Amino acid sequence: MLPLKEKDRVRILSAVARKGPSYQTIRIVVINISLAILLFIPLSGTVRVDIWRGHHLLFGEPADLAKALGGFIISMAILYGLTFLSNMIVGRFFCGWGCPVGFVSRLGEEVDVKGKKGRSKRVISHLAGAGFVATFVAAVMLWWVDPRVLIEGSMKARIITLSVFAILWLGGYLHAFRWRFGFCRTVCPIGLYYRYVTSQAPIGIVFSEVPDPCIECGACETICPVNLDPKHLGEFTGAPQDDPDAEPDRYGDAECLRCGDCIEACRMVFKAKPDVVPPLRFGHPENKKSGDEDDAAEPAETEPLRPPTAVS
Ligand code: SF4
Ligand code: SF4
């Protein structure tokens, strides 16, 4: 059974999907680049620690275990460093757009969304999800074992390799259908680390009621995979009492994945009113304006639209 939060999110995702093309297409491109890098490094022999028969590789040449492990650690540090740098500019953008684990969650959601359109669409979504999880697991395993184990390995080596693959694949599949973004919210060590080391990235989600006002429908909050209220992102939550020189925290800035789901939900709400500018968009948090500000324009007349409970 999925938690209520995930069910409500799927309900809004389904409404967004009916709106037409979404960020998901761009996300698929970004994810495939991530996956290609993960696959390229071990397949090209740039780094591989071969726990099957000890044929370790570093820069395409045979290497001893210590050097190959060193190559593995440095590769991980470089990949981590790249995501860390991107975090300084666009916050947890990698979590929202480039992380294969987060994408697996989305594939599980896709099954629920497409499932509403018929059995065949549901089956295709299941196959796409299963294929992606299999490729991701294979990419991870290729760092640790030469794929020739499946042809040249002993029966025992083949069984062990296939069993590890099956267990990891099953774990990925369960993640897609049981845990989804609960993992990102509470377990993922990289995401949790980012939350504490970065905030106030210059690019984030901006909420502005100028020129058109928010109708308080709640769709953006409902769809947010990490339980934020996108209307208040970046607002100061007050300077720390014990250190007046410290930068004040901004609400949600470090947690936000920059996934853009809230923006798409907001656009969907105003779909029937193309002349209305939806209040949520990507931008610089300092450009944030609210209806309370002195320079805020008089809100335009907007008829109440359907609340999220009616969006199904
Ligand atoms: S606030 Fe918007 S962009 Fe940030 S995580 Fe939530 S839905 Fe994604
Ligand atoms: S989805 Fe848009 S209109 Fe609805 S509450 Fe969020 S910001 Fe306001």
Side-chain angles (χ1 to χ4, degrees), residues 53-304:
R53 56 181 176 183
H55 287 185
H56 314 301
L57 294 170
L58 188 62
F59 297 120
E61 301 289 332
D64 60 28
L65 178 62
K67 282 185 181 161
L69 275 176
F72 172 78
I73 292 167
I74 290 169
S75 302
M76 287 295 122
I78 291 171
L79 292 177
Y80 179 78
L82 288 174
T83 59
F84 186 83
L85 285 177
S86 73
N87 223 57
M88 293 292 175
I89 303 164
V90 278
R92 292 176 68 183
F93 165 84
F94 176 77
C95 302
W97 292 78
C99 174
V101 179
F103 191 66
V104 170
S105 304
R106 285 181 182 275
L107 288 171
E109 292 170 343
E110 193 91 346
V111 172
D112 291 344
V113 170
K114 293 268 172 68
K116 293 180 195 286
K117 292 183 181 170
R119 196 187 170 100
S120 60
K121 295 225 175 207
R122 191 173 176 86
V123 171
I124 290 169
S125 306
H126 264 293
L127 291 175
F132 182 85
V133 174
T135 312
F136 178 42
V137 170
V140 171
M141 289 185 68
L142 281 167
W143 284 72
W144 296 100
V145 67
D146 188 327
R148 279 175 291 194
V149 65
L150 295 177
I151 298 162
E152 299 170 16
S154 64
M155 185 57 74
K156 185 179 167 191
R158 283 189 231 182
I159 289 173
I160 291 175
T161 306
L162 288 173
S163 303
V164 172
F165 178 87
I167 290 167
L168 292 177
W169 181 85
L170 196 62
Y173 215 60
L174 284 176
H175 167 79
F177 292 100
R178 298 300 297 257
W179 304 311
R180 296 190 180 168
F181 283 99
F183 176 83
C184 308
R185 288 195 292 270
T186 54
V187 179
C188 175
I190 297 175
L192 293 176
Y193 174 66
Y194 283 153
R195 232 191 258 179
Y196 291 105
V197 295
T198 59
S199 66
Q200 301 185 32
I203 298 174
I205 305 298
V206 178
F207 172 70
S208 168
E209 296 202 271
V210 180
D212 296 306
C214 165
I215 59 164
E216 301 288 345
C217 68
C220 54
E221 236 180 299
T222 306
I223 203 173
C224 179
V226 287
N227 292 348
L228 294 171
D229 181 351
K231 300 188 296 301
H232 297 288
L233 280 181
E235 284 182 3
F236 291 121
T237 55
Q241 300 288 313
D242 51 349
D243 184 2
D245 295 330
E247 287 282 332
D249 289 335
R250 281 173 185 266
Y251 164 76
D253 199 49
E255 285 90 354
C256 173
L257 311 179
R258 270 70 172 171
C259 65
D261 288 350
C262 52
I263 296 175
E264 293 210 285
C266 194
R267 283 184 193 155
M268 175 271 298
V269 168
F270 290 105
K271 184 185 165 198
K273 293 189 167 271
D275 50 325
V276 171
V277 178
L280 285 172
R281 63 170 193 273
F282 281 111
H284 190 296
E286 281 179 13
N287 292 335
K288 181 178 182 344
K289 291 193 176 94
S290 80
D292 299 335
E293 289 179 18
D294 292 336
D295 61 349
E298 199 61 34
E301 283 261 321
T302 311
E303 286 174 24

